[in-house]
Structures are given as structure tokens and as C-alpha cells.
Amino acid sequence: IFRKDRNSFGGGILVYISNSLSVSRRTDLEPANIECIWIEIRDPTGNFLLCCTYRPPNSDKSFWRNLSWSIDKASDISNKIVIVGDLNVDFLNIPHTHPVNEILTSQFLENKISEPTRVTQSTSTLIDPILATNEVSVFDSGTLGVDQNISDHLCTYISVKTNVCYNGAYERKVWLYKNADFDKLNLLITNTDWNEL
């Protein structure tokens, strides 16, 4: 678990990463005044950088400047960048003059989610995009339903082609039934006092 708490009044973000992945947190890419966590995922074909961020609805334009600075620094490290989170901007209806358009264009990012992520009785918005650079091989993306008692947002996901190195192997016992000694098994069954059992 990687976390960045907001303050004593709640809020903040979390990132859960599988123990089988080789990762490290990149605090050098995290501006102090916005909620974001950067994680580097090591891959033999080139490391991924994953950013989880949250933009409160009342944020001013400094959020976009700080996020752009952060992505710019990340692009010096890797060209495989994925950004997830709640940006509170409707990607189904972004005005041409919105600052996020400049970030998408200048950083070569593309939104991989095409359906609404927050649906109410009166609105239907896509405010939880997944942004990825062209070098990230995305072969599937979409949304998943979430219990309304947990969140009023749908879950978003992408599936990525990669050659991730796993940290370690595990052992398990495998029964090879074709190699069993069935004569011995039948003898044990015959000689067992089943009434006693």
C-alpha cells in the first residue's frame, strides 16, 4: 500500500500494488500541493510510471500547472506513463480551452475510457479517466460496477501488455495421478476396517 493522506479532516489517496511486482515510490515526481502518488513499475522492456491523482472540484489552475510539471519530470524517466484518478473534469464534454487539453497534447496522453464513470439521475459524466502515453500497449479498457454504498463512481481499468518481472516463485505440491500405485491403493482399501472408522 502506498498512501498520501490529506490532513486531519480526511481525504487522500491510496495505491495498492501486487507483491509480485517490483516497484518503488517516486516522491521526487510528487508536487507537495496536489494529491498524487507516483509509482515506478520495473519491466524488462522499459519501466512504467503510474500516477494516481485526485483533483478536488474547487481546485484552481495551479493544479494543472503542478500536474503538468510532474508529468514532464516523469517523461524524462520513462515514455510509458499511466495516470489514473478522479480529475473532476468531464472528458465527454471538455471545452477546447480547458487546461487539461494542453497537458494531453504536450505530453502525448490519450484517455482510454470512453463511457461515463459517474451517473446520477440528472447527469452522466466521465470524470475518472485513465490517461496513457502511446508507448503503453493497452489492449482492453472499460468500467466496472461498484456497490453504491461504497462509491457513486464506477471503477475504471485498463489491461496492458508487458513483460513484468515477478519478485519470486512459489512452491506447490502437484499430484500426478497417472503415476499412482493403484494396486497398493486397492490393497489398502481392502484391508481397512471400515466399521472401525
Side-chain angles (χ1 to χ4, degrees), residues 45-147:
T45 62
N47 294 353
F48 282 79
L49 286 169
L50 170 69
C51 174
C52 176
T53 188
Y54 171 68
R55 177 187 165 268
N58 59 351
S59 298
D60 59 23
K61 290 185 179 183
S62 67
F63 173 88
W64 300 112
R65 284 193 301 273
N66 286 311
L67 183 62
S68 182
W69 171 88
S70 184
I71 298 169
D72 199 43
K73 281 191 72 171
S75 65
D76 290 340
I77 299 165
S78 175
N79 58 2
K80 293 181 177 182
I81 297 173
V82 176
I83 300 170
V84 301
D86 180 353
L87 293 179
N88 277 304
V89 172
D90 185 5
F91 276 70
L92 297 175
N93 298 298
I94 302 176
H96 292 295
T97 57
H98 197 283
V100 76
N101 286 320
E102 173 63 28
I103 292 174
L104 294 173
T105 303
S106 65
Q107 302 296 342
F108 304 101
L109 291 164
E110 181 182 327
N111 177 29
K112 301 299 181 179
I113 305 300
S114 59
E115 54 199 286
T117 59
R118 186 165 188 264
V119 179
T120 67
Q121 290 181 352
S122 58
T123 62
S124 181
T125 56
L126 195 172
I127 60 176
D128 308 281
I130 298 181
L131 310 176
T133 55
N134 292 333
E135 289 77 8
V136 178
S137 300
V138 177
F139 65 88
D140 188 25
S141 63
T143 61
L144 301 170
V146 176
D147 185 330

Side-chain angles (χ1 to χ4, degrees), residues 8-25:
S8 60
F9 299 105
I13 50 180
L14 289 175
V15 176
Y16 285 90
I17 300 285
S18 170
N19 287 333
S20 63
L21 297 176
S22 178
V23 301
S24 59
R25 183 155 176 194

